[in-house]
Amino acid sequence: MFKKQLEAKTQQRLSGADRKKLKRTIKERLPSSSDADIDALLPPKAEITVSKFPNRVHVYGLEGGFPMFFDVDGRGTEIFPTVYALWKVPELLPAFILKGGEVSRFVLGGADLMFPGIYVPAEGLPAFLAGEPWAVKVPGNPAPIAVGTTTMSSTEALKAGLRGKALKITHYYRDSLWASLEDHYVPNAGFLDNVVFEDPSLLSAFQPSDRCEADASFDQQNGISSEVGEANDVADANSDFNHFSTTCTDLKNDISEQVVVNVGDLKVTENVFTDEFIVEDQHTLSTEDVDALLDKCLLQALHTTVKDKELPIPGSTLWSSHVLPCKPSGYLDIKKSSYKKLSKWLQSKSSAGLISLKEDKHKKEVTLFSINRSHPDYASFKPEKRNVEKNEQISNHGTSEGRFQKVLAVTEIYKPSVHVNPIFASVGADTRKLYSASEATDVIFRYIELENLVKPTEKSIVVLDAALCDALYKGIIKKGSTYPTEVHKRDLGSTFINRMQAHHRVTRGNESVVRKGALKTVQLITERRQGNKKVTKLSRFESFLVDAEPLATELQKKFACSTSVTELPGKKGHEILVQGGVIEDLGRHLVEQYGIPKRYIEVLDKTKK
């Protein structure tokens, strides 16, 4: 309903009689709401405005403030609270709980909610009728992410075997209604760009002493399992599940722990860990045990989910998207380890030669640059089996179409230069071959092992011989300056790779191309033309093996607007001109339908002041 940006035809204040009628209608539509709840959203002394849109939708809100309610047909029969209203009063509507935060990707993409994507407690879903307004929540996050209307009753749902569409979504976080104000906000840090996970601030409130005696049965009732379709392990149940389960009377804090992952791989895996990985409570472990558990999770992630083609990746993404999903069912906190901080832990692994890092001093963040897959710790580790199944929790025409697009793979590769050719020749590596970052790092560590260059008194330091010193620093060190004689292992991989010639390989289906230099990003620009009309320009997409004409035709149908294709000067490809300010939707379309990673999409909105 709010997928496309719409401008209100009229906006006016409500009279006293209309205010009373609106509150009465809301009370009838939302029986669970109290007068105090409605007054909190629409204060008695505040001015209330109604914005009327061309599609007959009426949006009610505080003058100069956020929209609080919207009426689908303008007749008062289908009135819903906005996510802003639900963030103020989360219990205004009953809510379906998703099986995991990863499922929210599809909801925020505009899909309707299907029953397979909903967590069902042991006692079953509560009773509901068709046409009732319900909200959607993520486990561990009290703030709803969407609202909609039930498509069938609970009785009909049971007869259908809990299959099919459960909720027709009418409004969700990040749609045009949410973005209608310049000062739009999110309720907590669990709300990311295109996915929502648990609220990280709730973790600090977790107290293991608050657990109920019937911990195992409580966990089972609240969906603490590793079912396919989840990208995380849940440690305790959030209070949002209270309408699903029988709560323990002496339970003080019902907190849900779920892994916070970034916009990442849509494939969802299930961890099948052996008994040695299962931990009842992290707080019972010693510091040494936590250190060992962190190392196991990292090695599990490096073996199973971290691919060389995805490198480099930020350390925070490595932790949230790869390490945490590999944790056992329990509470994992790096602050309980001897390292205390993520950066220190990763730097210790870099010093050991397992990984290569690059530190951004301005952002104060480390980046995983490469993996030494020949390292003894990596080679000796046996990863646990992980099952991958198709996610059938959400169906959406637009999203399902993207599954049929040819899979895109982007790999950053490097060719040996004259600076590093002697190193490759010393270990018998082909200097004409293209190498990934991890393969190139493996070459330098093989050379170090071959020449026995590790400092005996400090294993994390490499002593530079003449060949290695020239490979790393020749031409960089100014005349008159002294060449370094030692280098730390954590800096070795990134320095060595920077001395090679950057290339990239783009593969889509059976088509593959290798080009010299770094991969250019797709450029999205929105600007105003005559008559205050917005247009969106898309260029540099052909680097990702996307043809201009078919894409222009597809966008014309998707956004119901005119498109045109022009050739850029200097044989630099084509540019697609889309009528309308669809920059966010177009960027999301490129990610979902064509698999272009977000880091390769450059967005510039010139219409914002």
Side-chain angles (χ1 to χ4, degrees):
M1 177 171 295
F2 296 104
K3 292 182 180 180
K4 296 181 180 180
Q5 189 70 39
L6 295 175
E7 294 185 4
K9 293 192 301 183
T10 61
Q11 186 178 30
Q12 62 189 41
R13 291 181 179 179
L14 291 185
S15 63
D18 288 337
R19 291 165 61 100
K20 293 180 181 179
K21 181 180 179 181
L22 173 63
K23 291 187 176 183
R24 187 167 56 251
T25 304
I26 294 173
K27 185 67 177 177
E28 294 173 356
R29 176 69 170 164
L30 311 176
S32 60
S33 62
S34 64
D35 293 337
D37 293 337
I38 298 176
D39 287 342
L41 301 175
L42 301 175
K45 295 184 179 181
E47 292 293 343
I48 301 175
T49 62
V50 55
S51 300
K52 299 181 180 180
F53 290 82
N55 57 356
R56 298 182 180 179
V57 175
H58 291 184
V59 177
Y60 300 93
L62 302 180
E63 188 172 30
F66 295 99
M68 290 299 174
F69 295 92
F70 64 95
D71 190 348
V72 173
D73 56 5
R75 300 176 181 175
T77 56
E78 291 189 74
I79 194 167
F80 297 86
T82 66
V83 290
Y84 291 114
L86 291 173
W87 293 344
K88 283 192 173 184
V89 186
E91 304 304 325
L92 195 62
L93 286 180
F96 290 117
I97 308 297
L98 300 180
K99 281 188 174 179
E102 196 67 27
V103 182
S104 65
R105 270 183 210 281
F106 302 94
V107 176
L108 303 188
D112 291 329
L113 182 62
M114 310 297 288
F115 277 109
I118 299 174
Y119 163 74
V120 181
E123 66 272 17
L125 292 175
F128 55 87
L129 299 176
E132 288 185 352
W134 277 63
V136 181
K137 292 183 180 180
V138 168
N141 200 321
I145 66 170
V147 294
T149 308
T150 52
T151 59
M152 62 180 79
S153 65
S154 54
T155 304
E156 294 171 334
L158 291 174
K159 290 181 180 179
L162 293 180
R163 307 292 297 179
K165 187 181 297 186
L167 201 67
K168 183 179 180 181
I169 302 297
T170 55
H171 163 52
Y172 53 90
Y173 158 63
R174 292 201 71 81
D175 67 3
S176 61
L177 179 57
W178 172 85
S180 59
L181 296 179
E182 292 185 0
D183 54 345
H184 49 254
Y185 72 99
V186 294
N188 55 63
F191 281 67
L192 305 179
D193 285 344
N194 62 350
V195 68
V196 178
F197 294 105
E198 70 168 4
D199 181 4
S201 64
L202 295 180
L203 295 179
S204 60
F206 175 76
Q207 296 293 336
S209 60
D210 294 335
R211 305 183 83 149
C212 143
E213 290 183 1
D215 189 46
S217 62
F218 180 80
D219 287 351
Q220 183 179 3
Q221 291 175 4
N222 289 279
I224 299 185
S225 62
S226 54
E227 294 183 11
V228 175
E230 294 183 43
N232 44 65
D233 297 299
V234 182
D236 295 287
N238 187 275
S239 59
D240 296 327
F241 294 160
N242 288 345
H243 59 284
F244 283 156
S245 61
T246 304
T247 58
C248 302
T249 56
D250 61 329
L251 188 64
K252 298 178 182 177
N253 296 317
D254 297 339
I255 304 298
S256 171
E257 178 188 349
Q258 177 189 2
V259 180
V260 179
V261 299
N262 197 347
V263 259
D265 197 351
L266 291 181
K267 292 182 181 178
V268 182
T269 57
E270 172 190 11
N271 293 337
V272 184
F273 279 90
T274 55
D275 292 338
E276 64 174 343
F277 274 69
I278 298 178
V279 181
E280 266 315 303
D281 194 334
Q282 178 71 17
H283 293 268
T284 63
L285 296 179
S286 64
T287 302
E288 292 76 12
D289 292 336
V290 177
D291 291 348
L293 184 59
L294 286 172
D295 293 345
K296 286 182 180 180
C297 292
L298 175 63
L299 290 170
Q300 176 77 15
L302 297 182
H303 273 276
T304 56
T305 63
V306 181
K307 307 301 180 184
D308 291 337
K309 64 182 181 181
E310 298 174 352
L311 300 177
I313 57 175
S316 57
T317 303
L318 172 68
W319 171 257
S320 60
S321 300
H322 301 282
V323 176
L324 282 181
C326 293
K327 73 179 179 65
S329 50
Y331 184 69
L332 181 62
D333 187 358
I334 198 168
K335 292 182 180 179
K336 303 299 180 182
S337 68
S338 61
Y339 306 101
K340 304 301 180 184
K341 293 183 179 180
L342 174 65
S343 58
K344 289 185 178 180
W345 175 53
L346 292 178
Q347 285 171 357
S348 70
K349 301 296 109 180
S350 176
S351 300
L354 175 62
I355 57 177
S356 178
L357 298 177
K358 189 173 183 180
E359 186 174 1
D360 190 333
K361 295 182 180 179
H362 298 287
K363 296 182 178 180
K364 296 182 180 181
E365 185 178 27
V366 294
T367 300
L368 175 62
F369 208 82
S370 62
I371 305 168
N372 181 13
R373 300 193 184 273
S374 61
H375 192 275
D377 291 346
Y378 182 91
S380 61
F381 182 80
K382 294 182 179 180
E384 299 295 326
K385 294 181 180 180
R386 312 184 74 186
N387 299 328
V388 180
E389 295 186 12
K390 294 182 179 179
N391 193 327
E392 299 177 350
Q393 296 164 348
I394 302 290
S395 77
N396 177 33
H397 180 68
T399 306
S400 62
E401 281 183 355
R403 297 176 183 173
F404 296 101
Q405 295 285 355
K406 295 179 180 178
V407 177
L408 174 73
V410 179
T411 309
E412 294 180 354
I413 50 181
Y414 305 87
K415 185 178 181 180
S417 63
V418 292
H419 303 292
V420 299
N421 277 343
I423 305 298
F424 281 83
S426 299
V427 298
D430 190 356
T431 57
R432 296 169 296 178
K433 181 183 172 184
L434 294 170
Y435 295 85
S436 66
S438 61
E439 291 171 341
T441 305
D442 182 47
V443 169
I444 188 66
F445 278 101
R446 282 164 53 194
Y447 177 81
I448 292 169
E449 184 179 358
L450 181 66
E451 299 295 332
N452 194 22
L453 299 179
V454 177
K455 192 173 183 178
T457 57
E458 193 172 355
K459 298 297 183 182
S460 62
I461 300 298
V462 175
V463 179
L464 299 178
D465 61 4
L468 185 55
C469 186
D470 287 345
L472 297 179
Y473 300 109
K474 187 176 181 180
I476 298 178
I477 304 297
K478 295 181 180 180
K479 290 184 178 180
S481 300
T482 305
Y483 278 76
T485 58
E486 297 177 347
V487 64
H488 201 285
K489 282 185 178 180
R490 66 169 175 260
D491 302 323
L492 189 61
S494 58
T495 306
F496 184 73
I497 290 172
N498 287 337
R499 299 283 282 174
M500 301 175 67
Q501 297 176 356
H503 289 65
H504 63 273
R505 179 188 292 113
V506 180
T507 304
R508 187 179 294 279
N510 297 325
E511 185 180 0
S512 181
V513 62
V514 176
R515 298 188 181 96
K516 188 176 180 180
L519 181 60
K520 293 183 178 180
T521 57
V522 176
Q523 194 171 59
L524 281 172
I525 300 176
T526 295
E527 58 188 20
R528 295 187 187 275
R529 294 289 176 89
Q530 290 182 350
N532 202 28
K533 292 183 179 179
K534 293 182 180 180
V535 294
T536 303
K537 296 190 293 186
L538 170 65
S539 59
R540 300 205 299 227
F541 52 86
E542 290 161 314
S543 300
F544 297 89
L545 305 181
V546 178
D547 295 329
E549 293 294 344
L551 178 58
T553 304
E554 180 182 343
L555 297 179
Q556 181 181 5
K557 295 178 181 178
K558 179 176 179 60
F559 300 117
C561 62
S562 63
T563 59
S564 60
V565 179
T566 57
E567 187 173 354
L568 294 173
K571 296 183 179 180
K572 295 183 179 179
H574 295 83
E575 179 183 79
I576 298 177
L577 187 68
V578 182
Q579 297 294 330
V582 294
I583 189 168
E584 291 186 3
D585 293 332
L586 181 51
R588 190 179 299 114
H589 182 75
L590 294 175
V591 173
E592 295 176 352
Q593 304 297 331
Y594 290 91
I596 300 176
K598 277 191 172 182
R599 65 180 183 273
Y600 292 118
I601 299 179
E602 179 184 350
V603 177
L604 178 60
D605 191 347
K606 294 183 179 180
T607 62
K608 291 185 177 180
K609 297 181 180 180

